């Protein structure tokens, strides 16, 4: 006990204890406290940043998914199996075009009106709108019938091979190459006689000219080479629609473009006619159409609007974005691969953003745990610092006859 009292007395001599306590107080105020506060502020700032990035990832992922399903809706598919659904849409394309052909058969009155008007105004005697007139009479027949005027006896439609699903196995199938059985079969077919037979004979050919050395240099006179050029499609028998000829008029890109062009021509004519009929109240216009055929005089402005609406409906059904994609898929099966890849990339990016958002949530939780771990340390340091402050103030006050002492600037 005396030894401990001696140690305490030596520690209190020359105010060594006071200097040490003051050093601890300064270190807490100047270094320990600001460092912990800085770590705590960094954890809080990191939580805010990670929370913002998590919301951005979730929003961007939802936006990409929405774009994916919007694109699938434009194509008319659900998006579960893009490749097969697109191929299934092409199978339904002939039925859709058949309905368009049936509706185009109702254009008889409009075609007669347009032909009579061009004949009356421009004295145009040649046939107008040949494609529309043909479909109106015969329907959406084969391109062979449109081209030749004869009904085919046999129709051989081109076979469209379905694109296989994406192969997930990246390994190369070498088959049974290298196995003992195959190598035995290969060696059995090779016969070695006095070395390797390269197929080269050293004996001179007596049938060739000796001066030529058995080599035909191509400079000898002979019969000219005949090249026979065969036109495409001429190898098909009469009455057989094959390939492009087997497609319907609206399936073939060439005849479909002409069909749409004639619809646009009719639409422009009817639009102009509606404008002109609104201004035909003057005497000159009335006298001009007094000699017009009855099919022209019997048309009202409202009836022309109805016919124009029907023409625009047919045109929009063939030129819609969905139909354009279907025509491209039918013309090029590789287009299915490109569309599927684009849609898969959108979904893949959405999934990546979702995973990234989950990672941000995990890091934010780690930052929250770090904050929970730092806050008690800051409170504990603040309590210890206040205790040191009170001890120093009490000791100094005792040395100066209990005069009040206050230490300023002590803040954690």
């Amino acid at each position: 006990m005396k030894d401990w009292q001696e140690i305490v007395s030596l520690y209190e001599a020359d105010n060594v204890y006071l200097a040490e306590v003051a050093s601890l107080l300064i270190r807490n105020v100047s270094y320990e406290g600001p460092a912990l506060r800085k770590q705590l502020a960094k954890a809080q700032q990191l939580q805010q940043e990670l929370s913002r990035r998590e919301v951005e990832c979730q929003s961007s992922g939802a936006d990409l998914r929405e774009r994916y399903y919007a694109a699938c809706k434009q194509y008319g598919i659900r998006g579960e199996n893009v490749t097969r659904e697109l191929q299934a849409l092409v199978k339904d394309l002939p039925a859709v075009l058949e309905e368009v052909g049936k509706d185009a058969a109702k254009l008889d009155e409009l075609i007669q009106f347009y032909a009579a008007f061009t004949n009356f105004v421009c004295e145009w005697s040649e046939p107008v709108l040949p494609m529309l007139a043909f479909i109106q009479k015969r329907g959406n027949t084969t391109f062979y019938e449109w081209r030749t005027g004869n009904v085919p006896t046999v129709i051989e439609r081109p076979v469209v091979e379905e694109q296989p699903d994406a192969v997930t196995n990246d390994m190369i199938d070498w088959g049974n190459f290298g196995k003992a059985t195959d190598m035995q079969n290969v060696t059995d077919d090779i016969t070695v006689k006095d070395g390797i037979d390269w197929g080269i004979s050293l004996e001179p050919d007596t049938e060739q000219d000796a001066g030529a050395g058995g080599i035909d240099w191509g400079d000898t006179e002979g019969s000219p080479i005949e090249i026979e050029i065969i036109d495409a499609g001429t190898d098909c028998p009469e009455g057989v629609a094959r390939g492009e000829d087997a497609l319907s008029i609206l399936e073939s890109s060439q005849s479909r473009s002409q069909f749409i062009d004639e619809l646009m021509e009719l639409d422009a004519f009817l639009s102009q006619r509606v404008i002109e009929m609104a201004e035909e109240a003057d005497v000159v216009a009335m006298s001009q159409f007094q000699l017009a055929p009855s099919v022209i005089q019997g048309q009202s402005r409202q009836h022309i609007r109805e016919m124009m609406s029907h023409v625009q409906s047919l045109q929009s059904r063939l030129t819609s974005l969905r139909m354009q994609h279907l025509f491209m898929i039918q013309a090029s099966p590789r287009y299915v691969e490109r569309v599927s890849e684009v849609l898969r990339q959108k979904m893949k990016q959405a999934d990546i953003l979702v995973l990234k958002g989950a990672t941000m949530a995990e890091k934010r939780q780690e930052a929250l745990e770090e904050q929970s771990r730092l806050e008690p340390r800051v409170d504990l340091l603040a309590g210890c610092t206040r205790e040191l402050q009170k001890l120093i103030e009490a000791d100094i006050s005792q040395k100066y006859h209990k005069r009040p002492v206050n230490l300023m600037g002590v803040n954690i």
Side-chain angles (χ1 to χ4, degrees):
M1 188 66 182
K2 292 181 179 181
D3 294 339
W4 178 251
Q5 292 179 354
E6 183 179 359
I7 292 173
V8 172
S9 63
L10 291 175
Y11 183 67
E12 292 179 351
D14 298 329
N15 297 323
V16 175
Y17 70 96
L18 189 61
E20 184 178 2
V21 173
S23 177
L24 290 175
L25 180 64
I26 293 173
R27 188 177 66 180
N28 290 345
V29 174
S30 300
Y31 301 104
E32 297 292 340
L36 289 176
R37 289 290 184 184
K38 186 177 181 181
Q39 292 180 11
L40 184 61
K42 185 178 180 181
Q44 293 175 348
Q45 183 180 2
L46 185 60
Q47 289 180 57
Q48 297 176 358
E49 180 67 18
L50 291 173
S51 178
R52 181 184 63 82
R53 294 176 63 182
E54 179 185 357
V55 172
E56 289 180 356
C57 290
Q58 292 176 353
S59 176
S60 300
D63 184 54
L64 284 175
R65 287 183 180 275
E66 186 177 352
R67 291 182 184 179
Y68 171 82
Y69 288 113
C72 292
K73 187 177 181 180
Q74 289 181 351
Y75 289 107
I77 59 178
R78 292 183 298 177
E80 297 177 358
N81 192 329
V82 178
T83 303
R84 293 191 178 276
E85 290 176 6
L86 289 175
Q87 292 172 349
L89 287 178
V90 178
K91 295 180 181 178
D92 299 335
L93 184 59
V96 176
L97 297 179
E98 190 67 25
E99 292 295 327
V100 175
K102 291 180 181 179
D103 292 339
K106 304 175 184 178
L107 298 176
D108 183 27
E109 179 185 358
L110 180 53
I111 295 174
Q112 293 180 4
F113 172 52
Y114 182 61
F117 194 90
T118 53
N119 187 18
F120 175 73
V121 176
C122 306
E123 297 182 358
W124 187 268
S125 58
E126 297 181 6
V128 296
L129 308 175
M131 179 62 70
L132 289 178
F134 181 85
I135 294 182
Q136 188 272 325
K137 292 179 181 179
R138 300 193 183 185
N140 185 27
T141 59
T142 60
F143 185 77
Y144 175 88
E145 185 174 349
W146 156 255
R147 184 174 60 84
T148 62
N150 301 321
V151 180
T153 57
V154 179
I155 300 177
E156 299 179 1
R157 292 181 60 87
V159 179
V160 179
E161 297 182 358
E162 293 186 0
Q163 296 293 330
D165 294 337
V167 180
T168 57
N169 188 9
D170 296 334
M171 298 296 293
I172 299 176
D173 185 10
W174 296 102
N176 296 325
F177 181 76
K179 293 187 178 180
T181 56
D182 291 340
M183 294 304 295
Q184 182 65 31
N185 295 333
V186 173
T187 55
D188 290 343
D189 293 338
I190 300 176
T191 303
V192 179
K193 294 181 181 180
D194 298 333
I196 300 175
D197 183 9
W198 298 102
I200 301 175
S201 177
L202 300 178
E203 297 179 359
D205 192 355
T206 57
E207 297 180 359
Q208 296 293 336
D209 188 7
I215 301 176
D216 184 9
W217 298 102
D219 57 353
T220 58
E221 295 182 359
S223 58
I225 300 175
E226 296 181 358
I227 300 176
E228 182 180 0
I229 301 176
I230 300 177
D231 294 336
T234 57
D235 56 340
C236 294
E238 185 69 23
V240 177
R242 183 179 300 166
E244 185 75 14
D245 287 343
L247 299 177
S248 65
I249 294 177
L250 296 180
E251 283 181 316
S252 176
S253 59
Q254 179 182 354
S255 54
R256 183 177 65 251
S257 299
Q258 183 177 350
F259 181 82
I260 295 175
D261 291 343
E262 293 182 3
L263 285 178
M264 295 175 65
E265 182 179 350
L266 268 182
D267 186 21
F269 163 71
L270 294 175
S271 301
Q272 183 64 27
R273 189 63 190 140
V274 168
I275 297 174
E276 292 174 352
M277 292 185 69
E279 301 174 354
E280 285 181 357
D282 55 347
V283 179
V284 177
M286 294 177 62
S287 61
Q288 181 181 4
F289 285 96
Q290 284 181 355
L291 301 178
S294 59
V295 67
I296 298 178
Q297 296 185 11
Q299 301 295 336
S300 64
R301 193 161 179 258
Q302 181 63 27
H303 186 55
I304 291 180
R305 286 180 179 273
E306 294 175 357
M307 291 190 295
M308 183 173 63
S309 175
H310 182 61
V311 170
Q312 291 175 351
S313 174
L314 289 176
Q315 184 179 349
S316 62
R317 288 164 64 182
L318 287 178
T319 57
S320 63
L321 183 61
R322 178 173 178 269
M323 293 299 291
Q324 292 178 16
H325 290 307
L326 292 181
F327 290 138
M328 294 182 69
I329 293 172
Q330 185 188 36
S332 175
R334 293 184 61 87
Y335 182 74
V336 177
E337 299 178 5
R338 294 196 296 269
V339 172
S340 301
E341 184 62 26
V342 170
L343 293 178
R344 278 197 296 266
Q345 286 297 328
K346 289 183 179 179
M347 183 57 70
K348 185 177 180 180
Q349 291 175 2
D351 294 338
I352 290 174
L353 287 174
V354 170
L355 293 176
K356 190 175 180 181
T359 304
M360 296 300 166
E362 293 177 359
K363 291 184 178 180
R364 180 173 55 83
Q365 184 65 28
E366 292 177 359
L368 181 60
E369 294 176 358
E370 180 71 12
Q371 178 183 353
S372 301
R373 185 178 64 84
L374 290 174
E375 286 177 347
R377 292 180 59 185
V378 172
D379 296 338
L380 179 61
L381 183 64
C384 292
T385 303
R386 286 193 295 269
E387 185 68 24
L388 292 175
Q389 180 184 4
K390 292 179 180 178
L391 290 175
I392 294 173
E393 290 176 349
D395 189 80
I396 295 176
S397 177
Q398 186 178 3
K399 290 180 180 297
Y400 291 93
H401 306 288
K402 297 184 179 181
R403 298 180 62 179
V405 176
N406 295 317
L407 293 179
M408 307 300 294
V410 179
N411 187 19
I412 300 298

